[in-house]
Amino acid sequence: MPFYDSHSLFLYALFFVPGLALGIWAQIKLSLAYGKYSRVPVDSGLTGAQAAREILDRSGLTNVPVEEVPGHLTDHYDPTKRALFLSSGNFHGQTVAAVGVAAHEAGHALQHQAAYGLFQARMALVPITQFASTAYAALLFLGWFMGFIKIALPIIIVTFACITLFQLVTLPVEFDASNRAKEQLVRLGLVHEHERAGVSKVLDAAALTYVAALVSSILTLLYYITLARDSRR
Ligand SMILES: [Zn+2]
């Protein structure tokens, strides 16, 4: 992050600290919720992988594989491979948290199948965002060390706005995947009445991390805009 005097350092703290604090709070909430419900076994005895398989099969997505990936909470749906990847803990876990996360990832596959508009938009934004992220990082690094940060600010703002837009589109996609997950889990009887609250707590906590990331990006973007405005004075 560029700052070149005490005023911009103050601005930086003003714009950066709330986003950072929110991010840390969201991460803590997620680890607490996930930690708690990954110790609560599901009545059905299904693993995350079996629950995802059931949701996919019952929606006609028998061709979408459910695979195991290493790491903690590395779960994701890959639209280019049309495959669902679950972290080992959720793949094998027979818990409320594992089944909830697995159902959420299956929810993304359902969005893809339904050609859900925001999901399509998010997919279309991936290459643009990847390019913008690389350009942003390079400009920030080179601009700061080589002293042309002020001149680069307008392009930094444009690239960072692309990243922020991507996060803005991601947010409703994540909420929608969780809604689809909850709906399927209940409809197919994969979780029982008393287990629903636990699923919601885990998925809502996960969604909060996306909210925190967006807020933090919006604040950073405002910081750059303020810098650009100040430097023109
Ligand atoms: Zn998701």
Side-chain angles (χ1 to χ4, degrees), residues 75-77 101 104-105 107-108 111 122 170 173-175 177-178 206 210:
D75 312 75
H76 64 282
Y77 169 70
V101 172
H104 169 93
E105 299 310 333
H108 285 305
Q111 292 175 327
R122 188 181 182 275
T170 296
V173 173
E174 291 304 322
F175 279 106
S178 288
Y210 289 96

Side-chain angles (χ1 to χ4, degrees), residues 27-161:
Q27 280 301 331
I28 292 172
K29 271 203 84 156
L30 178 60
S31 7
L32 288 177
Y34 184 78
K36 179 177 175 187
Y37 290 100
S38 48
R39 286 191 301 270
V40 178
V42 268
D43 283 355
S44 65
L46 289 174
T47 63
Q50 287 168 331
R53 185 73 271 152
E54 183 70 12
I55 292 171
L56 294 171
D57 287 351
R58 296 285 286 267
S59 302
L61 292 173
T62 48
N63 56 339
V64 173
V66 179
E67 287 166 25
E68 184 180 348
V69 277
H72 177 66
L73 288 180
T74 44
D75 312 75
H76 64 282
Y77 169 70
D78 186 335
T80 57
K81 292 180 185 148
R82 288 186 185 266
L84 211 146
F85 296 92
L86 298 178
S87 59
S88 303
N90 292 330
F91 189 94
H92 298 287
Q94 296 166 292
T95 65
V96 169
V99 166
V101 172
H104 169 93
E105 299 310 333
H108 285 305
L110 297 182
Q111 292 175 327
H112 197 185
Q113 181 190 37
Y116 170 58
L118 288 169
F119 182 85
Q120 309 281 92
R122 188 181 182 275
M123 257 175 78
L125 285 172
V126 168
I128 303 162
T129 308
Q130 278 168 348
F131 176 76
S133 301
T134 310
Y136 166 74
L139 276 173
L140 203 60
F141 183 77
L142 293 174
W144 198 8
F145 282 100
M146 295 171 75
F148 62 84
I149 197 84
K150 275 191 186 182
I151 307 158
L153 259 180
I155 314 168
I156 288 177
I157 290 171
V158 171
T159 52
F160 202 77

